[in-house]
Each structure stands twice: as structure tokens, then as C-alpha cells.
Amino acid sequence: MRTPLIEFKDVTKRFGRKTVLDRVNLQIYEGEVTTIIGLSGSGKSVMLKHIIGLLQPDEGVIYFRGKPLASMTKKELAGSFARISYMFQGNALFDSMTVYDNIALPLRETTDLKRMAIDRKVMARVKQTELTEAIHKYPSELSGGMQKRAALARALITDPQIVLFDEPTTGQDPVRKNAILSMIAQYQKKLNFTAVLVSHEIPDVYFISNRILALYDRRIVFQGTPAELEDFDHPFMDEVIGSLEALQKELTGFYTKRQFAMLNHMQLKRRTDQTPYCIVVFSINRLDTIAQLVGHDAAQETINHMRIYIDKHFGDIGGFSARRNTGEIVTMLPYSNLSETEGILDNFAMDFRQQIIPAMQAGVCVPAGTDDIDATITAGIAEGHPSMDVNAVIALAISQQKEIGRLNCAPGV
């Protein structure tokens, strides 16, 4: 068994008569991304403040590398906390300082490094976080994404072993949320620090994590991998499903394959009978050719048209979709049988030929001197049951695909 980097044993915290944490037990392991998920106001930030020593438990013990914090000397505590950095929810950049000065501040305040040594470390972090062109700018002059990168560079400037992220995606649009989480995952792998994130936006941080801790009703009710969470039978999982469904409504694209698999798994697991469901698989053939000849923007716009009309026809009856491969989209209809789905697909195909094909062709301008683009769009349906392997149902739907439209574009069109 590995020794946890940080461990809580029966930690309880009260503020007056209100108990915020009630006998919390958790383990955080070195070199991993650990995400603490739970509703807003459930006590996640209180847990972070215990980790960095801003709060002490009323009951229980917190361990660092197997040693109780309460038994450490002041020197040992200072050494332990010096290894931890904190990235605040609102970035907490100083408006009166440039990006360079914001990043350099922890070194100037906590070390005896000379100016040239500080400059070398700052510029190294600036380069790693792709902020070279922004070093002389002020926070107000930066985009939200660049502000996050500047806050991350500052958090990493002291070479911490542990970085705590407090609600890193709160208030961001879906595209920026994905960019922030990708940035955290990228630099965690590159620099090998231990990352601990807290969030009430359950789906967002879930998918970059090695380990999930679920805080519910003042206690940790789950600890394990994202895959293990999918089989967790607890009222907390209703919140996960609700969050995923809310995410689908706000996203500008499809679910990821992992999100799709998770939602599909949990939907079917909660069924008490063998009520059928349906899978529809759409394929856009020669999408790679469109990307090569016309550009990736045109290919993405083609997919976007598909998304809009798939959601229009299948979303209102509970359907959810994932982009499975470059030109392949899988839609699950958890509450529809084969005959109902066939009728919906017929209406979709009619709308597709009348509305989507003209819109797609308008966005694909084939360069002169190249061949025509003749791309077919196919769709297939298969009915499944909760006891069946969903991948087998998807394969069956692919085997039954038929053409529902054709995209014809000639050079100069």
C-alpha cells in the first residue's frame, strides 16, 4: 500500500453550531490529479484550507507523508507548507503589476534569490505557459484564458510539489473551461506536481482526474477512479447525472466519448426492467478530404450543422450524442423503441436534404484545380436492451447504415 501524500482521518470542522465537515476520511496520492467534487457550499474550500494550514480541525488528524501535522515542529510545518501552492478561484492577480511582476512576486517575497536568478525562473515559467508576448501587460489587458495561465505560472514559480486549484472553471464558458482544464492537465504531466482541484461543476474537472473524492452531506462518500465512480450506487450520483444533462444543454458541441459512456452506463444501470433503447450512428464520409482540401474550419462547420439538426430532432426526446470518430456521431435514445426512432430518423433525413445539405455546401468552397468532393452521409439504427453491450449495439447500427444525403461540391462552388 502506498503512503498517502495527504491524509485526513475522522476530521471534523465546526463554525459555531454548524458542522461543515463531519468525520471526513480521505487520501491524496503523490503525482496524481485528485478532484474533490460536491455541491456549492458543501465544504470543499474548507478542506483545502485545512491542507494549507489556514484552518485546523476541531477533531481528527491530518497527516503529511504519514506524519501528523499536529506533531510537527514549526520548522517542519514551514517546510511542508512551502511545498504547496494555491491557485485562487478568481486568479487574484494584482492589477497594478505586470504579468512578469505578478509571477515574480512569490520569489521576491519568500526567497533570497538575486534579480538575475529570479528573471531566469520567471522567464522559464513564462515560456512554459506561453505568455512571452504578455509579460509587460497588465491583467486587465489579458483575456480570461491568459489570466488563468498567468495565475498558474505564479502558482508554479516556487517549484511546488503540490498545487491546489479552487474552483478553476467557475464563471467560464464551456470552451474556456475545456481550455483551462487542458492547461492544468498538460502542465501537471510536464512538471509532475500533485494537483488537487475542488469544483461544484461536477462534469468539468471529472475527466482530467486520476482520482475522485465525492463530498456529500459533510462527508467523503466516495474515493476512487473515474471508472469506479460510474458504478457507485448512491444518491450523490443523481447529482452527477443532473450535472451531465445540464452540461449537454450549455455545450456548443457533443459529449466526449467518456462522458457519453458514463451517462449511458448510469442511465441503463438505473433501469429495473428490460425496456429497449435505440442507438443511431451517423457517418460523414470523406470528411478528412474536406479538411485537407478546404480546411479544418469547413470540416468543423460541417460537423456543427449535423450537431444542430441532430439535437433539433433527437434532443427533445432525451437523446444525447457523442462524436465517436472524425466523421462519426453516435446518438442514444434511452427511452425510444425501434419504430419510434425510425419515424424520427425519416423526419430528420427529409429535413437534412432540404436544410442541412444546402447549408453544408455553402460552407465548402473547393479550390480550383482539385477534384469534386462527393461525400455521402449515412445513418443506421439498432435497438438494444440494458443487459446488452452498448458497443455491440453501436456495431449493429453501423452495419445497417443507409445513405440519407449526399454532399456534392465542385471547384469554385
Short mmCIF file of all heavy atoms in Angstrom, two decimals, residues 23-54:
data_model
loop_
_atom_site.label_atom_id
_atom_site.label_comp_id
_atom_site.label_asym_id
_atom_site.label_seq_id
_atom_site.Cartn_x
_atom_site.Cartn_y
_atom_site.Cartn_z
N ARG A 23 -16.31 14.00 10.41
CA ARG A 23 -15.51 12.77 10.39
C ARG A 23 -15.08 12.41 8.97
O ARG A 23 -15.31 11.30 8.48
CB ARG A 23 -16.28 11.63 11.04
CG ARG A 23 -16.40 11.77 12.56
CD ARG A 23 -17.33 10.74 13.13
NE ARG A 23 -18.72 11.00 12.79
CZ ARG A 23 -19.73 10.16 12.98
NH1 ARG A 23 -19.49 8.97 13.55
NH2 ARG A 23 -20.95 10.48 12.63
N VAL A 24 -14.45 13.33 8.31
CA VAL A 24 -14.00 13.15 6.94
C VAL A 24 -12.74 12.29 6.89
O VAL A 24 -11.79 12.53 7.63
CB VAL A 24 -13.73 14.52 6.27
CG1 VAL A 24 -12.91 14.35 4.99
CG2 VAL A 24 -15.05 15.23 5.98
N ASN A 25 -12.76 11.29 6.02
CA ASN A 25 -11.59 10.46 5.76
C ASN A 25 -11.26 10.53 4.28
O ASN A 25 -12.15 10.32 3.43
CB ASN A 25 -11.86 9.01 6.16
CG ASN A 25 -11.99 8.84 7.66
OD1 ASN A 25 -11.00 8.81 8.38
ND2 ASN A 25 -13.23 8.75 8.14
N LEU A 26 -10.00 10.82 3.95
CA LEU A 26 -9.60 10.89 2.55
C LEU A 26 -8.10 10.67 2.42
O LEU A 26 -7.34 10.84 3.37
CB LEU A 26 -9.99 12.24 1.93
CG LEU A 26 -9.35 13.52 2.48
CD1 LEU A 26 -7.99 13.80 1.83
CD2 LEU A 26 -10.28 14.71 2.24
N GLN A 27 -7.70 10.29 1.22
CA GLN A 27 -6.29 10.13 0.89
C GLN A 27 -6.00 10.79 -0.45
O GLN A 27 -6.79 10.66 -1.39
CB GLN A 27 -5.89 8.65 0.80
CG GLN A 27 -5.98 7.87 2.10
CD GLN A 27 -7.40 7.36 2.37
OE1 GLN A 27 -8.08 6.92 1.45
NE2 GLN A 27 -7.83 7.43 3.62
N ILE A 28 -4.89 11.51 -0.52
CA ILE A 28 -4.42 12.15 -1.75
C ILE A 28 -3.01 11.61 -2.00
O ILE A 28 -2.15 11.64 -1.11
CB ILE A 28 -4.40 13.68 -1.62
CG1 ILE A 28 -5.85 14.21 -1.48
CG2 ILE A 28 -3.71 14.34 -2.82
CD1 ILE A 28 -5.94 15.66 -1.06
N TYR A 29 -2.77 11.12 -3.23
CA TYR A 29 -1.51 10.46 -3.54
C TYR A 29 -0.63 11.33 -4.44
O TYR A 29 -1.13 12.10 -5.27
CB TYR A 29 -1.77 9.10 -4.18
CG TYR A 29 -2.41 8.13 -3.22
CD1 TYR A 29 -3.79 7.96 -3.20
CD2 TYR A 29 -1.63 7.41 -2.32
CE1 TYR A 29 -4.38 7.08 -2.30
CE2 TYR A 29 -2.22 6.53 -1.42
CZ TYR A 29 -3.59 6.36 -1.41
OH TYR A 29 -4.17 5.51 -0.51
N GLU A 30 0.66 11.13 -4.28
CA GLU A 30 1.65 11.97 -4.97
C GLU A 30 1.62 11.72 -6.48
O GLU A 30 1.46 10.60 -6.95
CB GLU A 30 3.04 11.67 -4.41
CG GLU A 30 4.09 12.67 -4.81
CD GLU A 30 5.32 12.62 -3.92
OE1 GLU A 30 5.44 11.67 -3.12
OE2 GLU A 30 6.16 13.52 -4.03
N GLY A 31 1.80 12.82 -7.24
CA GLY A 31 1.92 12.73 -8.68
C GLY A 31 0.62 12.55 -9.43
O GLY A 31 0.63 12.32 -10.64
N GLU A 32 -0.50 12.64 -8.74
CA GLU A 32 -1.80 12.45 -9.38
C GLU A 32 -2.60 13.74 -9.44
O GLU A 32 -2.29 14.71 -8.75
CB GLU A 32 -2.62 11.40 -8.61
CG GLU A 32 -2.02 10.01 -8.65
CD GLU A 32 -2.91 8.97 -7.99
OE1 GLU A 32 -3.85 9.35 -7.24
OE2 GLU A 32 -2.67 7.77 -8.21
N VAL A 33 -3.66 13.72 -10.26
CA VAL A 33 -4.66 14.78 -10.25
C VAL A 33 -5.85 14.24 -9.46
O VAL A 33 -6.51 13.30 -9.87
CB VAL A 33 -5.11 15.17 -11.67
CG1 VAL A 33 -6.20 16.24 -11.60
CG2 VAL A 33 -3.93 15.67 -12.49
N THR A 34 -6.10 14.85 -8.31
CA THR A 34 -7.22 14.45 -7.46
C THR A 34 -8.27 15.55 -7.47
O THR A 34 -7.95 16.71 -7.25
CB THR A 34 -6.76 14.20 -6.01
OG1 THR A 34 -5.81 13.12 -6.00
CG2 THR A 34 -7.93 13.83 -5.12
N THR A 35 -9.50 15.17 -7.74
CA THR A 35 -10.58 16.15 -7.79
C THR A 35 -11.59 15.88 -6.67
O THR A 35 -12.05 14.75 -6.51
CB THR A 35 -11.30 16.09 -9.15
OG1 THR A 35 -10.39 16.45 -10.17
CG2 THR A 35 -12.47 17.06 -9.18
N ILE A 36 -11.89 16.92 -5.91
CA ILE A 36 -12.91 16.84 -4.87
C ILE A 36 -14.17 17.49 -5.44
O ILE A 36 -14.18 18.68 -5.77
CB ILE A 36 -12.47 17.58 -3.59
CG1 ILE A 36 -11.14 17.00 -3.08
CG2 ILE A 36 -13.54 17.46 -2.51
CD1 ILE A 36 -10.48 17.84 -2.00
N ILE A 37 -15.22 16.71 -5.61
CA ILE A 37 -16.44 17.22 -6.21
C ILE A 37 -17.56 17.24 -5.17
O ILE A 37 -17.58 16.47 -4.22
CB ILE A 37 -16.88 16.40 -7.44
CG1 ILE A 37 -17.05 14.92 -7.08
CG2 ILE A 37 -15.88 16.55 -8.57
CD1 ILE A 37 -17.52 14.06 -8.24
N GLY A 38 -18.49 18.16 -5.38
CA GLY A 38 -19.62 18.31 -4.47
C GLY A 38 -20.36 19.59 -4.79
O GLY A 38 -19.89 20.42 -5.58
N LEU A 39 -21.49 19.77 -4.18
CA LEU A 39 -22.30 20.95 -4.43
C LEU A 39 -21.61 22.21 -3.91
O LEU A 39 -20.74 22.15 -3.04
CB LEU A 39 -23.67 20.81 -3.78
CG LEU A 39 -24.60 19.74 -4.36
CD1 LEU A 39 -25.90 19.71 -3.56
CD2 LEU A 39 -24.88 20.01 -5.82
N SER A 40 -22.02 23.35 -4.44
CA SER A 40 -21.50 24.63 -3.96
C SER A 40 -21.86 24.80 -2.48
O SER A 40 -22.99 24.53 -2.06
CB SER A 40 -22.10 25.78 -4.78
OG SER A 40 -21.59 27.01 -4.36
N GLY A 41 -20.86 25.22 -1.69
CA GLY A 41 -21.09 25.42 -0.27
C GLY A 41 -21.05 24.17 0.57
O GLY A 41 -21.43 24.18 1.74
N SER A 42 -20.56 23.06 0.00
CA SER A 42 -20.56 21.79 0.74
C SER A 42 -19.34 21.61 1.63
O SER A 42 -19.27 20.64 2.39
CB SER A 42 -20.64 20.61 -0.25
OG SER A 42 -19.53 20.62 -1.13
N GLY A 43 -18.37 22.52 1.54
CA GLY A 43 -17.20 22.42 2.42
C GLY A 43 -15.90 22.10 1.72
O GLY A 43 -14.88 21.85 2.37
N LYS A 44 -15.90 22.12 0.39
CA LYS A 44 -14.70 21.76 -0.37
C LYS A 44 -13.56 22.74 -0.11
O LYS A 44 -12.41 22.34 0.10
CB LYS A 44 -15.01 21.69 -1.86
CG LYS A 44 -16.10 20.70 -2.23
CD LYS A 44 -16.35 20.65 -3.71
CE LYS A 44 -16.74 21.98 -4.30
NZ LYS A 44 -18.00 22.53 -3.74
N SER A 45 -13.86 24.03 -0.15
CA SER A 45 -12.81 25.03 0.09
C SER A 45 -12.31 24.97 1.53
O SER A 45 -11.14 25.25 1.79
CB SER A 45 -13.35 26.44 -0.23
OG SER A 45 -13.62 26.56 -1.61
N VAL A 46 -13.19 24.60 2.46
CA VAL A 46 -12.77 24.43 3.86
C VAL A 46 -11.73 23.31 3.94
O VAL A 46 -10.74 23.41 4.69
CB VAL A 46 -13.99 24.12 4.75
CG1 VAL A 46 -13.55 23.72 6.16
CG2 VAL A 46 -14.91 25.32 4.82
N MET A 47 -11.92 22.26 3.16
CA MET A 47 -10.94 21.17 3.14
C MET A 47 -9.60 21.65 2.62
O MET A 47 -8.54 21.30 3.17
CB MET A 47 -11.48 20.02 2.28
CG MET A 47 -12.64 19.28 2.93
SD MET A 47 -13.40 18.05 1.84
CE MET A 47 -12.03 16.96 1.57
N LEU A 48 -9.61 22.46 1.56
CA LEU A 48 -8.35 22.99 1.02
C LEU A 48 -7.63 23.82 2.06
O LEU A 48 -6.39 23.76 2.19
CB LEU A 48 -8.62 23.85 -0.22
CG LEU A 48 -8.89 23.16 -1.55
CD1 LEU A 48 -8.83 24.17 -2.68
CD2 LEU A 48 -7.93 22.03 -1.82
N LYS A 49 -8.37 24.62 2.80
CA LYS A 49 -7.75 25.48 3.81
C LYS A 49 -7.13 24.67 4.96
O LYS A 49 -6.16 25.12 5.59
CB LYS A 49 -8.77 26.49 4.34
CG LYS A 49 -9.13 27.55 3.30
CD LYS A 49 -10.27 28.45 3.74
CE LYS A 49 -10.60 29.46 2.64
NZ LYS A 49 -11.77 30.31 3.00
N HIS A 50 -7.67 23.49 5.21
CA HIS A 50 -7.03 22.60 6.18
C HIS A 50 -5.70 22.08 5.64
O HIS A 50 -4.73 21.93 6.38
CB HIS A 50 -7.95 21.42 6.52
CG HIS A 50 -8.99 21.73 7.55
ND1 HIS A 50 -10.15 22.42 7.25
CD2 HIS A 50 -9.05 21.47 8.87
CE1 HIS A 50 -10.88 22.55 8.35
NE2 HIS A 50 -10.24 21.98 9.35
N ILE A 51 -5.66 21.79 4.34
CA ILE A 51 -4.44 21.25 3.73
C ILE A 51 -3.29 22.24 3.82
O ILE A 51 -2.14 21.87 4.07
CB ILE A 51 -4.70 20.84 2.26
CG1 ILE A 51 -5.66 19.63 2.20
CG2 ILE A 51 -3.39 20.51 1.54
CD1 ILE A 51 -6.10 19.25 0.80
N ILE A 52 -3.59 23.54 3.63
CA ILE A 52 -2.51 24.54 3.64
C ILE A 52 -2.33 25.18 5.02
O ILE A 52 -1.55 26.12 5.17
CB ILE A 52 -2.74 25.64 2.58
CG1 ILE A 52 -4.07 26.37 2.81
CG2 ILE A 52 -2.68 25.06 1.19
CD1 ILE A 52 -4.29 27.53 1.84
N GLY A 53 -3.06 24.69 6.02
CA GLY A 53 -2.83 25.15 7.39
C GLY A 53 -3.56 26.40 7.79
O GLY A 53 -3.34 26.93 8.89
N LEU A 54 -4.46 26.91 6.94
CA LEU A 54 -5.23 28.09 7.32
C LEU A 54 -6.29 27.76 8.36
O LEU A 54 -6.74 28.63 9.11
CB LEU A 54 -5.88 28.72 6.08
CG LEU A 54 -4.94 29.41 5.10
CD1 LEU A 54 -5.73 29.94 3.90
CD2 LEU A 54 -4.18 30.56 5.78
#
